[in-house]
């Protein structure tokens, strides 16, 4: 079955530290890739997406992600985190040619200490 | 700024009562999803509609849950009878079918069944 893995379940950082959250998926075909963010008590919001073109994608709030097809990965990065980045981060993959229902990872909880 | 709306935002009910949650997708979006989020299970897909037709409800307990789209502007999720284990946040999301298939989430309905 197609799956999405987020290896880091909980990440704790200090402000200004660099961030990288891992996301891997299990499918070798064509995919659309997403990172969503859920701030405490709020709903999921789209952070960035990749569906074609430049594999380095820039999103809102200084986040970026790189699609590495050979590694089936779509890691999320931010060079310098802020306290306001404290949130849950979800990676999602749509396996094109299938049902077009996104498969979500379990999420990574990020806490940034001021 | 188009948004997915959900009502009610909070619902407290007693076990055995019927609960109806409503969602208004973004105008023009033709896919609608219902998710349930809990600490233990994370984000679970309950139902998926495309052009108002239910395409996947395999994640939904059929004996007590039902999901419908009576028209393009309204999706409903009903629980009858409700049980304490149904306590969760229920999110509706809509999306345009096209190139990237991203989702736009509503604010959620926080359901507490006592």
């Amino acid at each position: 079955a197609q799956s999405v893995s987020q290896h880091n379940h909980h990440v704790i950082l200090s402000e200004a530290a660099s961030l990288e959250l891992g996301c891997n998926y299990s499918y070798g075909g064509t995919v659309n890739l997403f990172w969503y963010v859920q701030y405490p008590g709020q709903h999921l919001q789209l952070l960035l997406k990749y569906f074609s073109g430049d594999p380095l994608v820039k999103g809102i709030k200084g986040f970026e992600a790189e699609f590495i097809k050979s590694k089936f990965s779509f890691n999320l990065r931010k060079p310098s985190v802020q306290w306001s980045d404290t949130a849950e981060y979800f990676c999602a993959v749509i396996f094109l040619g299938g049902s077009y229902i996104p498969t979500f990872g379990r999420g990574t909880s990020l806490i940034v200490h001021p | 700024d188009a948004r997915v709306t959900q009502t009610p935002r909070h619902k407290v009910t007693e076990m055995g009562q019927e609960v109806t949650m409503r969602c208004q997708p973004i105008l023009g979006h033709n896919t609608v999803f219902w998710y349930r989020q809990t600490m233990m299970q994370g984000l679970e897909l309950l139902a998926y509609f495309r052009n108002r037709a239910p395409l996947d409800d395999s994640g939904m307990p059929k004996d007590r849950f039902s999901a419908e789209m009576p028209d393009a502007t309204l999706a409903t999720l009903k629980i009858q009878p409700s049980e304490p284990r149904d306590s969760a946040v229920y999110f509706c999301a809509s999306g345009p079918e096209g190139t990237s298939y991203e989702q736009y989430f509503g604010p959620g309905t926080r359901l507490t069944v006592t």
Side-chain angles (χ1 to χ4, degrees), chain A residues 32 34 36 38 42-44 46 49 51 90 94 99-102 104 106, chain B residues 33 35 37 40-42 45 48 50 56 91 99-103 105-106:
Chain A
N32 284 359
F34 310 85
Y36 290 86
Q38 185 177 27
Q42 296 190 26
H43 59 285
L44 277 75
L46 183 66
K49 63 185 179 187
F51 55 93
F90 293 90
I94 288 183
S99 66
Y100 296 88
I101 297 173
F104 280 83
R106 287 279 299 181
Chain B
F33 302 78
Y35 291 93
Q37 187 177 40
M40 294 299 295
Q41 299 297 327
L45 176 69
Y48 165 50
R50 184 193 294 163
D56 190 323
F91 289 105
T99 309
S100 59
Y101 300 92
E102 69 261 32
Q103 294 180 308
F105 284 77

